[in-house]
Amino acid sequence: RSSDLGQYREAGVLMYRGYPLDLFMSQCYGSAMDPGKGRQMPVHYGCKDLNFVTISSPLATQIPQAVGAAYALKRENTDRIVICYFGEGAASEGDAHAGFNFSATLECPIIFFCRNNGYAISTPTSEQYRGDGIAARGPGYGIMSIRVDGNDVFAVYNAVKEARRRAVAENQPFLIEAMTYRIGHHSTSDDSSAYRSVDEVNYWDKQDHPIGRIRFYMLNRGWWDEEQEKVWRKESRKMVMEAFEKAERTLKPKPDLMFSDVYARMPAHIQKQQESLSRHLKIYGEHYPLDLYEK
């Protein structure tokens, strides 16, 4: 029942809450099935029904917004909280300072969850800060803070569980710094071999991978085996590829939708732009792939 404000790496949170794979793919493709009507960048998911606020591109803007949402929940006197996700790079933004300070002075029921994965794109933590990470900043604001092994599922679960209990019971913020590592490139346009060694990546991939660690734990407990994993991988790949192909075939939203949903009543200047586009497409429509869009 918490409200979630994420950044770019919280797809798992939304999937855990039941967001369908088809909608993930539709959002990335900007197809007509996309609830955002193709007007967001890829991986900028959102779902009102699941209390997951739509992701926005500017770094760290979700932090003060999350505090405002938490303050509103506090005034409603409910047992709900807000959890706000961000990386250690985003913690260098001024929005983080404003958000931390407001949350403490207003005593907001919020969990700040910092994913410290070692790199803010190509900037390592050694160049990001000189202090003792992100958790060490919490006491300066009067925020209870804890640093956990972000690759340990149980450590993260227990820390978040306790943070939520205290946020609800005591109406106060909590800062969690989860220490982890970004094995992949930052994005498809990033070549991380330019700023870190292959050996470094291989160590984290082979020795301290969170999925590998929970897998070995479950194998040792007899809760998982190689055959189950083989079946699961095959079924999962099938589901992903089916959703991928479906989104690829689906038409794009009709062009008129780029003008809607900003104002309750469309103002004259927007209406003028819409009419201008309509006239343009009537004359030059053959030069555009309109067959890929809904009519």
Side-chain angles (χ1 to χ4, degrees), residues 193-234:
S193 65
Y195 52 84
R196 61 182 182 177
S197 70
V198 174
D199 289 341
E200 177 184 320
V201 177
N202 285 339
Y203 167 79
W204 288 95
D205 192 21
K206 306 298 182 186
Q207 302 297 322
D208 203 6
H209 196 296
I211 297 176
R213 285 172 61 174
I214 191 66
R215 176 179 179 272
F216 286 130
Y217 179 84
M218 292 173 69
L219 284 171
N220 290 333
R221 290 274 178 162
W223 298 342
W224 195 245
D225 58 44
E226 297 292 345
E227 185 58 32
Q228 283 177 296
E229 180 157 338
K230 185 178 178 181
V231 172
W232 174 79
R233 283 179 177 272
K234 184 178 180 180

Side-chain angles (χ1 to χ4, degrees), residues 20-122:
L21 194 55
D22 281 344
L23 290 185
F24 278 108
M25 290 293 185
S26 296
Q27 198 285 321
C28 288
Y29 269 89
S31 75
M33 285 182 60
D34 172 26
K37 303 176 184 177
R39 296 177 296 203
Q40 274 277 26
M41 290 180 65
V43 307
H44 285 41
Y45 315 111
C47 183
K48 183 178 180 180
D49 293 339
L50 298 177
N51 295 325
F52 193 95
V53 178
T54 302
I55 295 166
S56 59
S57 297
L59 203 62
T61 55
Q62 75 273 20
I63 298 176
Q65 294 167 359
V67 175
Y71 185 60
L73 292 179
K74 173 185 175 180
R75 289 175 61 86
E76 289 177 1
N77 197 28
T78 66
D79 63 350
R80 294 177 59 197
I81 70 159
V82 170
I83 182 166
C84 179
Y85 299 90
F86 55 95
E88 84 286 349
S92 294
E93 295 283 342
D95 285 326
H97 162 73
F100 293 161
N101 198 44
F102 268 115
S103 71
T105 56
L106 296 175
E107 299 180 330
C108 299
I110 183 172
I111 298 173
F112 295 109
F113 193 98
C114 176
R115 296 171 275 91
N116 191 333
N117 63 22
Y119 291 91
I121 309 183
S122 60

Side-chain angles (χ1 to χ4, degrees), residues 145-187:
S145 307
I146 187 171
R147 177 177 292 139
V148 299
D149 180 352
N151 293 340
D152 183 335
V153 171
F154 303 112
V156 173
Y157 174 81
N158 288 328
V160 174
K161 183 179 179 181
E162 176 62 12
R164 187 193 188 285
R165 185 192 70 78
R166 298 187 72 162
V168 170
E170 303 168 17
N171 262 336
Q172 61 176 315
F174 210 104
L175 171 61
I176 298 173
E177 181 180 19
M179 307 303 291
T180 183
Y181 187 81
R182 193 197 77 213
I183 291 173
H185 305 297
H186 173 77
S187 65

